[in-house]
Amino acid sequence: MYDAVVPASRSLSFDPVVAAREVWASKGWEEAALGMATITSIMRAHQLFLAQANDALRPFDLTFARYEVLAWLAWNAECGSMSLSQIGELFQVTPATVTNAIDRLEADDLVRRLPHPDDARSTLAEITARGRRMVATATVELNAKVFETVRLTENEMEALLRLLVKVRVEAGDFSSATENGHVPTPVRARGGGARKS
Amino acid sequence: MYDAVVPASRSLSFDPVVAAREVWASKGWEEAALGMATITSIMRAHQLFLAQANDALRPFDLTFARYEVLAWLAWNAECGSMSLSQIGELFQVTPATVTNAIDRLEADDLVRRLPHPDDARSTLAEITARGRRMVATATVELNAKVFETVRLTENEMEALLRLLVKVRVEAGDFSSATENGHVPTPVRARGGGARKS
């Protein structure tokens, strides 16, 4: 139930992950219990942070999903544009989800669609000047209200990141050749640079 | 973009979290960079596991969200029932999301709605016999295909769990009185037991 999230207005009085782990143990699913607890914990942490991020972004009429697209277009994509299929690959979402997000961003004049210069079947999304201003302002808010409020020490966050990198590589998020912090080449809209010439 | 997920059919050739962290550093957002990386990593790990879980559950015509509701009703809720508002609190989702999930589960004869015996404004969801069979079978599949395949050592998973518990408590997931593994009282539908008398 991770689509529509509400802020954690009321804490539970118990840890549902611990409760589920007890169930798994009692059923004899010992082999799976720790993995279940790990995955469920990741999902609950996700839910909490997503709710915080969406709250912080509400004044900008942005969701975290749309913010992520804007931020990537602004700062990582060459010439501020990427093909819709590249966006789907980057965020591991379906074409329909990308289309919906880009529709909304385009309606708000934060991105515009452009034909791909080298591929007639492909469409680029390019961030607008308004989109660049919006994502810069929204990031200041997100940093202050969410990213700077994680209550772990630097060492704890680095340890968490290392464990999650291992999980993510094994689960196929990215190839492990770059696992150890090598700075990657930004995702490029093939031929995107040519539009400027 | 975490609603509709696709399996990681193709790994990226780089770690987008590392790329984003470089951007934050270059913008002078050092204070927020590590928190951003931590939260983004949790979200990407969530996305990968959610896709795996939904894949494993597709033969049962279940999503992980609906599976979680069924599993909780089957094994943690007293008498196999909870109020819809309790389900929303437990999974931190909106009433509309709970309604949609219960509508679908009810249409599939996996749960039924009952009037709350003590509160006319409240509705209970009760798991059916078919729901209990379904969740047992689906769990065997989830255990084999997802929960037993986390490629971390036991020590790594326990370390990850500890860090995530700290994050979750700070973010308001549950109150820290029970943080250290105390087994909680299951969520009860108030007066739910009375229906049997």
Side-chain angles (χ1 to χ4, degrees), chain B:
Chain B
M1 313 190 63
Y2 294 95
D3 41 346
V5 296
V6 292
S9 55
R10 275 193 271 189
S11 291
L12 297 172
S13 60
F14 64 94
D15 183 354
V17 176
V18 171
R21 208 170 155 179
E22 292 289 318
V23 168
W24 257 243
S26 75
K27 300 273 178 190
W29 297 326
E30 304 284 1
E31 293 284 302
L34 195 50
M36 180 282 298
T38 301
I39 290 174
T40 308
S41 294
I42 288 170
M43 288 182 169
R44 292 193 73 92
H46 156 84
Q47 187 84 337
L48 292 157
F49 285 126
L50 183 60
Q52 285 183 11
N54 282 334
D55 279 355
L57 292 169
R58 196 155 294 126
F60 305 94
D61 214 11
L62 282 174
T63 60
F64 190 65
R66 295 201 300 276
Y67 165 82
E68 280 195 298
V69 172
L70 278 188
W72 196 270
L73 288 175
W75 298 318
N76 294 82
E78 193 179 348
C79 303
S81 72
M82 276 170 80
S83 72
L84 268 54
S85 58
Q86 286 177 312
I87 292 173
E89 284 169 28
L90 179 64
F91 294 106
Q92 292 171 349
V93 292
T94 61
T97 303
V98 176
T99 297
N100 289 342
I102 298 299
D103 282 352
R104 178 64 190 271
L105 289 167
E106 196 167 31
D108 293 343
D109 190 26
L110 302 172
V111 308
R112 68 175 68 88
R113 279 182 168 86
L114 296 170
H116 197 296
D118 301 335
D119 180 359
R121 293 164 309 174
S122 182
T123 301
L124 296 180
E126 184 182 66
I127 190 166
T128 63
R130 179 173 145 83
R132 287 188 185 273
R133 286 192 302 272
M134 178 72 85
V135 76
T137 315
T139 302
V140 171
E141 189 80 355
L142 260 190
N143 283 344
K145 294 218 173 137
V146 182
F147 296 149
E148 290 172 15
T149 66
V150 181
R151 300 238 177 280
L152 294 178
T153 66
E154 270 191 34
N155 284 343
E156 286 171 333
M157 280 195 268
E158 294 285 6
L160 185 49
L161 277 173
R162 276 193 301 274
L163 291 163
L164 289 171
V165 160
K166 192 167 174 189
V167 164
R168 291 167 53 219
V169 168
E170 294 289 348
D173 195 14
F174 64 98
S175 73
S176 58
T178 55
E179 182 176 348
N180 295 316
H182 173 72
V183 179
T185 309
V187 170
R188 291 197 160 79
R190 270 161 305 175
R195 289 179 298 108
K196 302 283 175 180
S197 65

Side-chain angles (χ1 to χ4, degrees), chain A residues 191-197:
Chain A
R195 289 179 300 105
K196 301 281 175 182
S197 66

